[in-house]
Amino acid sequence: MIDKYEIYKSSGISKEVFEFGEAVLEDLKEDFDHYDMMAEYNQQKVIRAMQKNKVSAECLAGSTGYGYNDLGRDTLEAVYADTFKAEDALVRPQITCGTHALALALMSNLRPGDELLSPVGAPYDTLHEVIGIRPSMGSLAEYGITYAQADLKPDGSFDYDAIKNAINERTKLVTIQRSKGYAGRPSYSVEEIGELIAFIRGIKPEVTIMVDNCYGEFVQEREPLEVGADMIVGSLIKNPGGGLAPTGGYIAGKKECIENAARRLSSPGLGKEVGASLGIMPSFYEGFFMAPTVVASAIKTAAFAAAIYERLGYKCIPRAKEKRNDIIQAVELKTPEALQAFCLGIQKGAPVDSHVTPVPWDMPGYDDQVIMAAGAFVQGSSIELSADGPLRAPYNVYFQGGLTWYHGKFGILCSLEEMVRAGEVSLSS
Ligand SMILES: *Cc1c(COP(=O)(O)O)cnc(C)c1O
């Protein structure tokens, strides 16, 4: 029989931190059963899509040059489409990240004179330059595409009156962000997004509705296309890449939306027919196959951390036992020292770069210094355990990921160890 503490003792975890963690876990058993059930459900969804589309050894081979007749690429796109209940999908290594995928979906589906509407307040930071909220070379604004925004109510709920007032004859595309990102508002469930879509369609049925699906894939049974969205967009170094995809992004949805995006990514006349997959297909397929269980690991890690820090009196968003709509966890750490100690712990627990010390730095595009902890196999991958936060009150740390629950657990125990060492928390009550 293994003495469970022995597992962690030689990794520098003190007995009091270990025991605190075990006590917290006792309370999470039912929640973990639920996350496992979600993984089980979504795993079958992916397997069924792979079998239906006859994924074969040839699909893993890859192409070069123009990439004509790339069976692996085309079949993978069909697998994504079936899993997410889309008519079609674009899943490419040439889409470099989530921001690129979102910019591509917007720029290809809007035309000069159209207006873009965000009914959920300001979109994710990196989209500000894409839209031209912050003036930027090549933005939608430079092409004569305007932007309107309906802010949320103070409690984070939709302001239906403001949304109604913001919709006009030029409103062409509506963008809804599922995950809170770095904002203080809640992340929305697929059901909530469905209600918002129904309201918007009641006013303007023909409008194109896009959902920024980053961090949301496989968290629930359904995806936003099943409640009326036209397009969902995401990054392969987040949930759907399963930690194995080394780069890439996807757009899934209505055929016409995907065709627009494909023609913008390559060229009119070429569309989806070109784009070599090189040697990347095995990681895309295997990553998508792994994604449901990896997402469950990340959610368990987030819930474990929330339960620990809630018990220590910190405000956690979402709360430990709250229903989760994405893999992001925020903890209000209150002091810059606590934020740095937390990040140091996450870094120390990483499989890669565990020997480096994260320090706050002036990141382009941010007003405050930012500290980041990441010891990832894939650069910037946030389905791997990672944490960051701006050095400003209330010193929120945002973290996400965990390829395996056991690594996630270890990382969170390391963060607690560093918090104790820094004198930020005391476990002897
Ligand atoms: C991560 C993220 C993005 C941008 O993705 P990158 O891959 O970092 O460019 C956009 N929206 C949301 C909600 C995100 O979480």
Side-chain angles (χ1 to χ4, degrees):
M1 203 40 198
I2 298 172
D3 173 357
K4 226 172 166 194
Y5 175 55
E6 287 296 323
I7 301 174
Y8 295 100
K9 189 178 170 190
S10 45
S11 302
I13 301 295
S14 63
K15 187 130 196 175
E16 52 171 358
V17 164
F18 169 77
E19 282 175 353
F20 193 83
E22 293 304 295
V24 161
L25 274 178
E26 279 299 310
D27 247 18
L28 289 174
K29 288 202 166 121
E30 273 176 33
D31 305 75
F32 276 34
D33 284 348
H34 173 75
Y35 306 140
D36 283 333
M37 174 74 96
M38 205 57 67
E40 200 169 349
Y41 180 88
N42 283 315
Q43 181 73 83
Q44 284 312 309
K45 210 158 56 171
V46 172
I47 291 174
R48 273 198 302 275
M50 288 186 168
Q51 293 180 344
K52 178 185 160 203
N53 289 289
K54 301 192 169 64
V55 173
S56 62
E58 291 82 80
C59 290
L60 305 176
S63 64
T64 56
Y66 294 106
Y68 292 134
N69 305 313
D70 187 324
L71 178 71
R73 179 197 66 205
D74 295 347
T75 303
L76 180 71
E77 289 178 337
V79 168
Y80 263 68
D82 280 335
T83 304
F84 292 149
K85 309 292 186 289
E87 290 174 10
D88 203 355
L90 194 62
V91 186
R92 304 283 167 125
Q94 288 85 5
I95 302 176
T96 50
C97 61
T99 304
H100 185 191
L102 289 157
L104 177 63
L106 292 173
M107 292 180 164
S108 60
N109 282 285
L110 287 160
R111 296 289 179 271
D114 288 343
E115 186 158 279
L116 167 68
L117 168 66
S118 172
V120 292
Y124 194 76
D125 252 60
T126 56
L127 288 183
H128 292 202
E129 285 196 51
V130 171
I131 295 167
I133 298 172
R134 251 199 323 275
S136 189
M137 194 190 285
S139 70
L140 291 171
E142 283 198 346
Y143 286 87
I145 296 159
T146 56
Y147 172 70
Q149 181 175 309
D151 287 326
L152 297 164
K153 290 190 175 166
D155 66 354
S157 63
F158 308 131
D159 187 340
Y160 285 115
D161 289 334
I163 294 167
K164 190 164 196 276
N165 289 333
I167 297 173
N168 60 50
E169 69 289 348
R170 291 197 302 110
T171 308
K172 174 67 196 302
L173 200 154
V174 174
T175 179
I176 301 169
Q177 189 179 307
R178 181 170 172 182
S179 169
K180 66 165 122 9
Y182 296 121
R185 57 113 162 148
S187 298
Y188 301 119
S189 68
V190 171
E191 292 67 37
E192 286 166 323
I193 290 170
E195 286 163 26
L196 178 57
I197 291 173
F199 177 79
I200 292 166
R201 292 231 189 271
I203 300 166
K204 190 161 188 179
E206 72 279 17
V207 77
T208 301
I209 297 178
M210 175 182 101
V211 174
D212 175 350
N213 211 26
C214 282
Y215 291 132
E217 296 91 352
F218 299 125
V219 172
Q220 295 188 260
E221 298 99 303
R222 293 190 296 173
E223 299 292 338
L225 296 174
E226 295 168 73
V227 293
D230 298 305
M231 261 192 294
I232 56 173
V233 182
S235 163
L236 297 202
I237 62 167
K238 294 178 179 174
N239 303 16
L244 293 174
T247 188
Y250 80 89
I251 306 173
K254 289 265 158 64
K255 211 160 189 74
E256 191 191 337
C257 296
I258 301 307
E259 187 59 29
N260 269 327
R263 283 163 174 257
R264 174 86 192 208
L265 180 64
S266 60
S267 156
L270 302 180
K272 290 185 78 184
E273 303 300 315
V274 298
S277 62
L278 305 172
I280 214 161
M281 279 299 138
S283 66
F284 277 19
Y285 276 103
E286 198 173 346
F288 199 56
F289 175 75
M290 296 299 291
T293 45
V294 171
V295 166
S297 296
I299 293 176
K300 287 176 185 175
T301 303
F304 178 51
I308 283 189
Y309 286 98
E310 222 163 62
R311 202 173 275 202
L312 291 167
Y314 290 92
K315 184 179 172 196
C316 296
I317 312 165
R319 293 187 308 280
K321 291 188 153 287
E322 203 169 324
K323 181 174 167 290
R324 282 166 194 274
N325 296 321
D326 62 15
I327 65 168
I328 308 272
Q329 180 66 48
V331 183
E332 205 176 289
L333 289 173
K334 297 187 281 202
T335 70
E337 292 78 19
L339 176 57
Q340 292 189 56
F342 186 99
C343 288
L344 178 62
I346 297 294
Q347 190 75 41
K348 278 192 176 179
V352 179
D353 286 337
S354 63
H355 52 283
V356 307
T357 302
V359 290
W361 61 300
D362 295 299
M363 208 173 125
Y366 291 83
D367 295 335
D368 302 280
Q369 286 198 314
V370 176
I371 186 165
M372 291 188 167
F377 294 105
V378 170
Q379 184 197 93
S381 167
S382 47
I383 188 63
E384 300 185 51
L385 186 61
S386 46
D388 49 73
L391 268 92
R392 65 162 178 262
Y395 300 97
N396 275 332
V397 69
Y398 297 88
F399 69 93
Q400 63 273 314
L403 293 186
T404 73
W405 152 237
Y406 303 108
H407 172 242
K409 175 181 177 180
F410 176 56
I412 299 305
L413 290 177
C414 288
S415 80
L416 182 57
E417 192 69 46
E418 291 305 320
M419 293 277 279
V420 171
R421 195 166 297 166
E424 290 293 324
V425 300
S426 166
L427 300 181
S428 47
S429 52

